[in-house]
Amino acid sequence: MSEGGRVGKLRRVDRDLVGLTVLALLLQGPRHTYEMHRLILDTHKDFVTGLPRSMYHAVERLVRDGLIESTGTSRDGNRPERITYRLTGEGRAELDSRVHRLLATPDPDATLFHAALSFIGCLSVDGARAALAERAAGLEGQSTSAQAQLQTLSARLPRVLLVELEYEQRRAAAELDWTRGLLDDLDSGELSWPDDLAQLMPMPGTEQPEEPQQTEQAEQTD
């Protein structure tokens, strides 16, 4: 983070929503890639695109960077052998950092905030509050700046040339209002979650989902 605890601009890696999703799915415990693939589909993480290939590439990057690691392989009956992965200590810290940055930093790409909200429970309640407070400050600055520009420019330009600035000011103001409401819910306790996410969403049982048409090994070689 930058001085004063402010995040600043997003890094390129912060925009890797597939990698973020893999890190978040491993927070509860080890999983293999097919299970993660099914969870992404079943929980409608629509911001994750290019499946399944993008997920396998993300897993490779995360292993290379030491953020996740293999716990070995397993085979269930006649099903293909699968590699199981788990989060490392570095991966846990990186997950916190990425979610915090995406929550705290207003960005023209609204998909990034959508993804961050999807994984807000990866942070502690206090951590989420701190990140959203940073976002509120940034949005307030954007709204105030856009309003000042409108007042200056409207004196010499027709409105038709300023409607995009009107939109930006209204968008920032509306998002600021919503973010402040979420902060109020955190402060009042209306929105809360346990530090141990296993209490919030237990790991699935031993029942196996149906097999995909392609095996994991075949998908990885695409």
Side-chain angles (χ1 to χ4, degrees):
M1 294 184 187
S2 58
E3 293 181 5
R6 300 297 294 277
V7 168
K9 294 183 179 179
L10 293 176
R11 306 167 298 176
R12 180 177 179 180
V13 71
D14 295 324
R15 301 178 183 275
D16 177 13
L17 299 185
V18 186
L20 173 70
T21 302
V22 171
L23 291 173
L25 290 178
L26 292 178
L27 182 58
Q28 289 181 278
R31 302 182 191 271
H32 51 70
T33 48
Y34 175 57
E35 184 182 3
M36 289 189 279
H37 183 194
R38 290 307 316 170
L39 281 169
I40 290 170
L41 296 178
D42 292 345
T43 56
H44 302 285
K45 306 300 184 190
D46 296 332
F47 48 81
V48 179
T49 59
L51 290 171
R53 185 177 303 175
S54 63
M55 186 187 62
Y56 290 117
H57 290 332
V59 166
E60 291 175 358
R61 291 193 300 272
L62 295 169
V63 170
R64 179 199 64 200
D65 295 339
L67 302 180
I68 66 174
E69 61 186 6
S70 169
T71 64
T73 59
S74 62
R75 183 189 298 274
D76 182 21
N78 294 325
R79 297 171 188 266
E81 189 174 71
R82 295 191 174 117
I83 302 173
T84 301
Y85 297 94
R86 67 184 175 192
L87 201 61
T88 65
E90 292 83 356
R92 181 67 176 95
E94 180 66 13
L95 173 60
D96 281 357
S97 175
R98 292 191 193 187
V99 174
H100 183 104
R101 285 173 175 273
L102 292 177
L103 285 175
T105 310
D107 190 274
D109 184 357
T111 305
L112 299 176
F113 190 41
H114 179 191
L117 290 172
S118 179
F119 299 126
I120 192 172
C122 294
L123 301 180
S124 67
V125 173
D126 287 343
R129 183 187 293 108
L132 290 170
E134 289 183 48
R135 185 179 196 88
L139 290 168
E140 185 174 14
Q142 286 184 0
S143 178
T144 300
S145 176
Q147 183 62 44
Q149 291 180 61
L150 277 171
Q151 290 177 349
T152 299
L153 295 175
S154 61
R156 57 187 179 85
L157 292 176
R159 185 184 176 193
V160 69
L161 298 180
L162 300 175
V163 288
E164 79 281 10
L165 192 56
E166 281 186 20
Y167 168 79
E168 176 58 25
Q169 192 277 324
R170 297 287 181 88
R171 183 204 60 79
E175 187 178 329
L176 174 60
D177 183 64
W178 186 87
T179 301
R180 284 173 170 167
L182 196 62
L183 282 166
D184 288 342
D185 291 342
L186 288 171
D187 289 337
S188 69
E190 182 176 339
L191 174 62
S192 64
W193 54 90
D195 290 337
D196 181 4
L197 288 188
Q199 300 175 28
L200 180 67
M201 188 176 68
M203 289 281 284
T206 57
E207 182 179 352
Q208 294 291 329
E210 294 182 2
E211 286 290 324
Q213 293 182 353
Q214 283 185 294
T215 65
E216 179 174 323
Q217 182 177 4
E219 288 171 335
Q220 286 180 297
T221 58
D222 284 347

